[in-house]
Amino acid sequence: MPHLPPVASAARVLKGRWAPLALLALLPGCNMVVMNPSGDVALQQRDLILISVGLMLLIVIPVMVATVVFAWRYRAGNKDAAYDPDFDHSTMLELGIWSAPLLIIIFLGAVTWSSTHLLDPYRPIDRLKAGQPLKAGVKPLEVQVVALDWKWLFIYPELGIATVNELAAPVDRPITFRITASSVMNSFYIPALAGQIYAMPGMETKLHAVLNEPGTFDGIAAHYSGAGFSDMKFKMLGMDQSGFAQWVERVKADPRRLDASIYTRLEKPTEKVPVIRFATVEDGLFGKIVNRCVEPGKPCMSDMMGHDRRGGGDPHSMRPGSGSPPVNDAAPMHGDKAEGALLKDPGEKGTSPHQSKERLPGSPGNAAPGNERNRDMTALDPRSTIPHARAAGAADRA
């Protein structure tokens, strides 16, 4: 057999039965960012993974060991093993089978409940890292995030700048992300910083996080959103305060301005978009993106919903009462039971014209404040919803 050079010998080993072990030897060179993050929130999430796996292994490992022990001890060739064909119950065995999983489930449930509240993405962070609480008066850096097809737009309202496919933040300063999307649902995810949070058109989600180490980190779209999804990536730059200030100055040196007309062009689907920087941003642009009214003359969703609460009608005219009547329009003026506005939440009251119902002999209700029967004591004033009735009422008053 001819002598093979070292490279060829290694190739034969990789192709042989030892290939899996050879590949395992290469794993230490991988950067498992989820298990080695650079942000405190992601670090706490990593700890949850380790705790969960450890709790499961408390069951898995003993079961695997017991399987081998039982198979060896009670093998056909072991004549010394006890043989008890009438065995049907063991109190100690039952306690072990049920108590250990039950305790693990209780502990895991407690950890899950507490971490769900402590790591809620909407909850502002109260520490920079373990043992270092957040000082009072520290203002988070707000970053407005828009998932476009197929790129990421970042707006810094405090600084008046914006970037595409490049995110920067100072180390050890809280970050508040306000997240939305332009057309389809997506997912904003920086593994080294925090868990993923969805971006949805016409809605705003939030994420609070902090970066504890400088460096360059990968950000991705973690939800399939079409043809350019695989290249919808960006870099997050973590730097000290002076480095971040220099980065801001570089962005402000760019002559471009992000306004509604530029955004509508940016919103069109494009792939593999390089970094774009904008020195200035139109005021209120993010709010228009969330409310889907960037185009001139298009009514905003918030205005339309408020208009609907006031009575509906033509959304372009925004004239209260010009269309469908307000809610609770079926309430009779002198009926036995009104669909009362008192059933509303406090924030909803006043969105429809209601009046206190006239107390009639034998009518329901109770004079005691807070009595449940008092929920029947409201009615809709028909003069506020029917134009000719309003006119008739005005004539009567005249």
Side-chain angles (χ1 to χ4, degrees), residues 48 51-52 55-56 103-113:
L48 283 177
I51 291 173
S52 302
L55 289 173
M56 289 184 287
L103 291 174
I104 290 175
I105 291 173
I106 292 173
F107 184 79
L108 188 59
V111 171
T112 302
W113 184 89

Side-chain angles (χ1 to χ4, degrees), residues 18-277:
W18 302 107
L21 294 178
L23 293 175
L24 285 175
L26 300 177
L27 286 180
C30 298
N31 180 18
M32 300 178 65
V33 63
V34 174
M35 305 307 293
N36 186 29
S38 301
D40 183 63
V41 174
L43 193 65
Q44 294 179 70
Q45 293 171 339
R46 188 276 313 270
D47 293 341
L48 283 177
I49 296 175
L50 295 178
I51 291 173
S52 302
V53 172
L55 289 173
M56 289 184 287
L57 289 179
L58 290 178
I59 295 295
V60 173
I61 292 178
V63 169
M64 294 178 67
V65 172
T67 301
V68 176
V69 171
F70 273 63
W72 174 257
R73 181 174 180 180
Y74 296 103
R75 68 191 186 279
N78 186 9
K79 303 301 182 181
D80 297 330
Y83 177 66
D84 187 1
D86 298 324
F87 173 84
D88 62 354
H89 177 74
S90 170
T91 302
M92 295 301 297
L93 188 59
E94 290 287 344
L95 286 174
I97 290 175
W98 292 104
S99 62
L102 181 60
L103 291 174
I104 290 175
I105 291 173
I106 292 173
F107 184 79
L108 188 59
V111 171
T112 302
W113 184 89
S114 61
S115 61
T116 299
H117 291 276
L118 291 174
L119 298 178
D120 184 348
Y122 279 67
R123 180 177 182 268
I125 62 174
D126 54 8
R127 74 178 201 182
L128 297 178
K129 61 182 69 173
Q132 186 176 345
L134 184 65
K135 295 181 180 179
V138 175
K139 184 179 179 181
L141 174 67
E142 181 180 324
V143 181
Q144 299 166 345
V145 183
V146 184
L148 302 170
D149 294 331
W150 287 278
K151 49 200 168 287
W152 292 96
L153 171 64
F154 303 103
I155 302 174
Y156 295 77
E158 177 185 334
L159 304 172
I161 60 176
T163 58
V164 173
N165 286 345
E166 184 179 68
L167 173 65
V171 172
D172 291 338
R173 180 179 176 183
I175 310 171
T176 298
F177 293 102
R178 299 174 57 191
I179 307 167
T180 190
S182 63
S183 61
V184 298
M185 185 171 71
N186 215 305
S187 179
F188 176 70
Y189 185 31
I190 306 174
L193 183 68
Q196 66 88 25
I197 188 74
Y198 281 106
M200 292 169 280
M203 300 179 67
E204 178 184 324
T205 53
K206 291 184 180 180
L207 175 66
H208 292 86
V210 62
L211 191 64
N212 301 122
E213 299 177 5
T216 301
F217 309 98
D218 293 322
I220 61 174
H223 187 88
Y224 181 74
S225 59
F229 156 78
S230 58
D231 293 308
M232 193 173 171
K233 304 174 182 178
F234 64 93
K235 295 294 184 181
M236 179 177 184
L237 309 177
M239 53 194 72
D240 57 25
Q241 190 60 50
S242 61
F244 179 71
Q246 294 175 11
W247 177 84
V248 172
E249 291 302 320
R250 287 197 300 270
V251 176
K252 289 185 175 182
D254 196 291
R256 284 172 287 197
R257 167 180 168 80
L258 179 62
D259 54 20
S261 61
I262 296 298
Y263 174 80
T264 54
R265 292 164 53 189
L266 195 65
E267 192 178 21
K268 296 178 180 179
T270 50
E271 300 180 33
K272 299 181 180 180
V273 178
V275 174
I276 306 174
R277 300 184 178 97

Side-chain angles (χ1 to χ4, degrees), residues 279-348:
T280 57
V281 181
E282 177 183 320
D283 291 339
L285 180 61
F286 182 76
K288 294 179 181 179
I289 296 172
V290 174
N291 284 285
R292 306 183 67 78
C293 57
V294 177
E295 298 84 354
K298 184 176 181 181
C300 291
M301 284 176 30
S302 59
D303 295 334
M304 295 176 68
M305 289 186 289
H307 176 58
D308 290 341
R309 288 195 298 268
R310 294 190 298 269
D314 182 5
H316 295 279
S317 64
M318 296 298 180
R319 290 173 296 157
S322 61
S324 59
V327 296
N328 294 343
D329 58 327
M333 192 67 181
H334 299 294
D336 291 334
K337 184 175 178 61
E339 298 296 331
L342 293 179
L343 294 174
K344 291 184 173 186
D345 293 331
E348 296 179 301

